[in-house]
Amino acid sequence: MEVITMSKKIIKSSFQKSVEQYLIQHRSILDVLSKFQESNARVNRAIIKASTQCGCVKIKSEKQKFPSNVKLEEIHKYINYQLEGSLCDNCKEIIETELGSNLFYTAAICNILDLDFDEIVEKEEERISTLGIYNLS
């Protein structure tokens, strides 16, 4: 288990280092923040286009319905992601690319602010596992 964790850390650290090396054009915090915001919009747009243009997935939005007597620990059994179908290969590739770009700009923000991407991920994972189902933020 220790080897796998160390291996993951090396990969993530390598990613953050690569971002530092290849982020040349947009080095100011304002440039990176605007590119990060743009990448968020592109992720959203790619998911929307999978539904509206391709049709490989359908978004069925409605109020979440839970039985009145369900315990909080069991509520995950009743959650509806409001999505039907599955991504086609083309949409999957586009969304993966856009998410990758989003991660790139996330790592760039970490670099500019002298934050460790790995530590942020580890702290969030610890927070989620500590709070468990009570992590409703």
Side-chain angles (χ1 to χ4, degrees):
M1 190 70 163
E2 181 79 26
V3 174
I4 293 171
T5 303
M6 188 59 117
S7 173
K8 284 182 182 178
K9 188 164 182 65
I10 290 168
I11 291 170
K12 285 188 271 185
S13 295
S14 174
F15 177 71
Q16 190 169 356
K17 287 177 185 176
S18 292
V19 170
E20 178 67 23
Q21 180 182 357
Y22 295 116
L23 185 70
I24 297 169
Q25 186 177 6
H26 306 285
R27 297 290 293 189
S28 83
I29 188 66
L30 294 176
D31 283 341
V32 173
L33 287 173
S34 67
K35 294 300 284 182
F36 178 68
Q37 183 177 16
E38 180 184 330
S39 73
N40 283 319
R42 291 179 64 84
V43 169
N44 292 342
R45 183 69 183 137
I47 294 169
I48 290 166
K49 287 171 86 173
S51 175
T52 61
Q53 288 186 352
C54 177
C56 59
V57 294
K58 292 181 182 170
I59 299 171
K60 298 268 191 163
S61 180
E62 62 184 13
K63 181 179 177 180
Q64 295 283 351
K65 298 174 187 169
F66 306 106
S68 58
N69 61 346
V70 69
K71 294 179 182 178
L72 189 56
E73 297 84 18
E74 298 175 353
I75 208 160
H76 68 278
K77 296 177 185 175
Y78 300 95
I79 292 176
N80 178 350
Y81 291 108
Q82 302 175 343
L83 194 65
E84 292 180 357
S86 58
L87 294 172
C88 67
D89 290 341
N90 185 53
C91 290
K92 181 179 178 181
E93 182 179 339
I94 291 168
I95 293 169
E96 286 174 344
T97 299
E98 297 301 348
L99 285 170
S101 177
N102 192 267
L103 287 172
F104 178 91
Y105 288 109
T106 300
I109 292 169
C110 290
N111 287 336
I112 290 171
L113 297 174
D114 197 25
L115 300 171
D116 187 319
F117 186 83
D118 294 338
E119 283 183 29
I120 293 168
V121 171
E122 289 170 11
K123 285 179 183 178
E124 183 62 13
E125 185 175 23
E126 183 178 314
R127 188 180 72 79
I128 290 169
S129 63
T130 300
L131 297 176
I133 60 169
Y134 300 102
N135 180 28
L136 300 175
S137 58

